[in-house]
Amino acid sequence: AQKITQTQPGMFVQEKEAVTLDCTYDTSDQSYGLFWYKQPSSGEMIFLIYQGSYDEQNATEGRYSLNFQKARKSANLVISASQLGDSAMYFCAMREGSNNNDMRFGAGTRLTVKP
Amino acid sequence: DVKVTQSSRYLVKRTGEKVFLECVQDMDHENMFWYRQDPGLGLRLIYFSYDVKMKEKGDIPEGYSVSREKKERFSLILESASTNQTSMYLCASSFMDRVRQPQHFGDGTRLSIL
């Protein structure tokens, strides 16, 4: 079964607007970590933000925030004030406490920011 | 800053060739990983290693092998390259047993098998 599901293959957003990229996950572990990565067309994977399963506050890093809803097992990435440079693939990933040397990735969402 | 370096950004090889992809990290990470990335499939784990000379199969190890002779270096080997191994290959490293730590990635190798 898929551990990480990203249901939006592609998304468009107007420059300066906010956008939400969806991610749902499946685990029976109590301890786990959720990560978002950005992959520009050049190919490198850039770590953006982390949310721990025991963290009470939603994670924020600059224009990135994570809307963590534990009961619904969702960890959506919110990008505020989109910029043209935000156009990229975005991957959600999970690391489980019972097997924390491994990381599972979703299929990714391609975000395009329109001027 | 963590640096994970992959030996080639682009590589073109022929069917049947033995192909070596090299990865080096400078952060003293115990874990190293090789992923394959294909459109619509995300990243799939080929092999990972948690120590020198140790390796574990990932989800798609068939047709690949790995070597870790030194802590900082992890090599992916395509024993006899086939066209269905044309893909983007990503190397990553991380500390062991730290759920909160991200994996750090190299820039990727776009491999074409003709």
Side-chain angles (χ1 to χ4, degrees):
Chain A
Q2 286 287 345
K3 292 260 187 182
I4 296 283
T5 303
Q6 294 180 254
T7 56
Q8 307 151 314
M11 288 281 287
F12 290 89
V13 65
Q14 205 67 39
E15 196 177 6
K16 300 191 178 114
E17 292 186 352
V19 63
T20 299
L21 306 183
D22 294 342
C23 173
T24 57
Y25 59 91
D26 182 25
T27 182
S28 55
D29 283 16
Q30 296 301 307
S31 173
Y32 52 89
L34 296 156
F35 303 80
W36 277 92
Y37 287 85
K38 172 184 178 181
Q39 187 183 43
S41 56
S42 49
E44 71 271 28
M45 293 280 282
I46 302 165
F47 165 65
L48 295 178
I49 195 167
Y50 165 82
Q51 179 82 45
S53 58
Y54 293 120
D55 294 344
E56 294 185 355
Q57 305 266 12
N58 284 345
T60 60
E61 288 286 348
R63 293 186 299 110
Y64 303 109
S65 60
L66 207 151
N67 183 0
F68 181 46
Q69 298 188 43
K70 196 169 179 176
R72 297 177 65 181
K73 293 189 174 177
S74 75
N76 299 339
L77 178 70
V78 180
I79 305 174
S80 62
S82 297
Q83 301 172 356
L84 296 178
D86 294 334
S87 294
M89 282 291 287
Y90 289 82
F91 291 96
C92 180
M94 176 174 64
R95 205 170 179 180
E96 294 173 288
S98 62
N99 183 18
N100 62 58
N101 292 312
D102 196 1
M103 189 175 279
R104 295 289 162 172
F105 288 82
T109 295
R110 180 170 298 281
L111 176 67
T112 303
V113 181
K114 297 192 284 187
Chain B
D1 264 2
V2 176
K3 188 71 177 169
V4 179
T5 304
Q6 293 184 230
S7 52
S8 305
R9 291 297 300 271
Y10 300 93
L11 206 55
V12 180
K13 295 291 182 180
R14 296 209 172 272
T15 303
E17 280 192 67
K18 192 168 186 176
V19 181
F20 293 86
L21 302 184
E22 306 285 345
C23 176
V24 177
Q25 51 95 4
D26 66 358
M27 274 301 290
D28 204 33
H29 286 160
E30 296 91 356
N31 294 340
M32 294 189 76
F33 306 83
W34 275 107
Y35 291 92
R36 169 178 173 155
Q37 182 183 1
D38 299 289
L41 297 177
L43 276 69
R44 293 180 292 167
L45 183 65
I46 305 171
Y47 269 99
F48 78 94
S49 168
Y50 53 90
D51 200 354
V52 174
K53 296 194 188 295
M54 305 303 290
K55 61 185 179 184
E56 294 278 345
K57 291 181 180 179
D59 298 319
I60 51 164
E62 297 78 20
Y64 303 95
S65 62
V66 290
S67 171
R68 191 155 180 213
E69 297 296 319
K70 293 185 178 181
K71 189 175 185 178
E72 67 270 19
R73 187 179 296 270
F74 192 35
S75 302
L76 179 70
I77 303 151
L78 285 65
E79 297 290 344
S80 177
S82 63
T83 54
N84 63 12
Q85 292 178 309
T86 291
S87 188
M88 171 75 140
Y89 290 87
L90 289 159
C91 175
S93 70
S94 72
F95 286 114
M96 181 182 277
D97 294 336
R98 299 191 196 180
V99 171
R100 303 184 73 88
Q101 293 288 325
Q103 291 183 2
H104 297 271
F105 285 82
D107 289 344
T109 296
R110 294 184 194 273
L111 175 64
S112 295
I113 307 296
L114 304 178

